[in-house]
Amino acid sequence: MGIVFIVASAFFFALMNLFIRLTGDVPTMQKCFFRNFFALLIAVGTLIRSKTSFRIGKGNLKYLLGRSIAGGLGMICNFYAIDHMAISDASILNKLSPFFAIIFSIIILRELPNRFEWGTVIVAFIGALFVVKPSFSFEVIPALAGVLGGLGAGLAYSFVRKLGLRGENSMIIVAFFSGFTSLILLPNLFINYQPMHLQQWIYLCLTGVAAAGGQICITQAYAKAPAKELSVYDYSIVIFTAIFGFLFLDQIPDVYSIIGYIIIILTAATRWYVTGRKSKTCKTITNKA
């Protein structure tokens, strides 16, 4: 069931990416505001329905702020990448986040990566170069934004893990992030608001619904199975976005992008497999002892 839910979350987040693109020429910051505002309504509604206190754990405010700032900047970069390049390319660059999380875990969690983990980071970034296709032109800016989106997400996930270790409620984390980013983006919305027609409003609403579906499914997935056993299946978003991009946006990834997808996904799969084997070995030794 954990695998089913994690794949379902990838499907919903791929839909979110599609709807973001279909919204059209609405400013990126405006899209970000409404995506987070809808998520805020759902998170607050869930907390009220479950009669959960809105109280933040002692000493957790600084980590919530770190998660919100990093996640907000990462989201803006990711949305910009989705608006300006193939959605499958933007998705795979955003999925560099676990590799960035390895780096940030040194600072935030005081966890030192081993040589194998450093190796996966290096290989993953080699794969990213095939997707980014560095060049001295403005065309590379969306790809760089995609990489920065993955960096922001990786830093945010490190803070989320820190908060999880400190016992913070997951819906409090979601509500705080959604509320903080909505508040920060609100002045820009008032100053630079661009009127939207009915179809754009519909796509923005669908973006919020898809994002909520993805968040609910990913929460259920990690409630049913450990993250180390599920993370590789999250990369199915690249398959879904490639299909959606082809069917609805006439987007076909080039050969270099496909090579990059393969390198990054195989690296993630190798890391998942090795981590799983080490975990089983440790359990076997413990049981024998």
Side-chain angles (χ1 to χ4, degrees), residues 86-237:
I87 58 174
S88 55
D89 284 4
S91 296
I92 196 66
L93 292 176
N94 191 251
K95 289 304 172 186
L96 290 172
S97 54
F99 302 102
F100 279 116
I102 291 174
I103 299 172
F104 290 123
S105 65
I106 300 172
I107 304 168
I108 298 170
L109 301 167
R110 299 292 190 270
E111 296 176 348
L112 292 176
N114 55 38
R115 282 184 291 181
F116 170 74
E117 289 174 321
W118 277 121
T120 62
V121 171
I122 293 170
V123 175
F125 284 111
I126 291 173
L129 289 175
F130 281 93
V131 181
V132 173
K133 295 177 277 291
S135 63
F136 295 100
S137 69
F138 289 110
E139 293 180 2
V140 78
I141 291 177
L144 294 178
V147 174
L148 289 175
L151 184 150
L155 179 55
Y157 292 154
S158 297
F159 279 118
V160 168
R161 189 176 172 200
K162 181 72 173 181
L163 287 162
L165 293 172
R166 293 175 62 87
E168 189 61 80
N169 183 292
S170 60
M171 288 310 298
I172 290 290
I173 299 173
V174 173
F176 188 95
F177 166 68
S178 302
F180 179 86
T181 48
S182 295
L183 188 62
I184 292 299
L185 291 168
L186 189 59
N188 178 77
L189 182 73
F190 283 131
I191 296 169
N192 299 310
Y193 177 76
Q194 178 176 305
M196 298 181 290
H197 53 69
L198 178 60
Q199 189 177 47
Q200 289 175 318
W201 275 109
I202 291 172
Y203 282 134
L204 269 180
C205 289
L206 289 174
T207 296
V209 172
Q215 193 65 57
I216 292 169
C217 286
I218 204 167
T219 302
Q220 286 293 319
Y222 288 123
K224 295 181 180 297
K228 62 179 177 291
E229 295 181 10
L230 295 176
S231 57
V232 71
Y233 298 101
D234 198 22
Y235 285 82
S236 58
I237 188 175

Side-chain angles (χ1 to χ4, degrees), residues 256-275:
Y256 292 110
S257 289
I258 293 172
I259 292 172
Y261 300 170
I262 293 171
I263 292 173
I264 294 171
I265 293 173
L266 283 180
T267 304
T270 302
R271 181 168 170 254
W272 165 76
Y273 176 75
V274 171
T275 303

Side-chain angles (χ1 to χ4, degrees), residues 56-75:
I56 296 170
K58 185 177 180 181
N60 287 346
L61 179 60
K62 60 183 177 182
Y63 298 115
L64 284 167
L65 287 171
R67 183 266 181 272
S68 299
I69 293 169
L73 291 173
M75 178 190 61

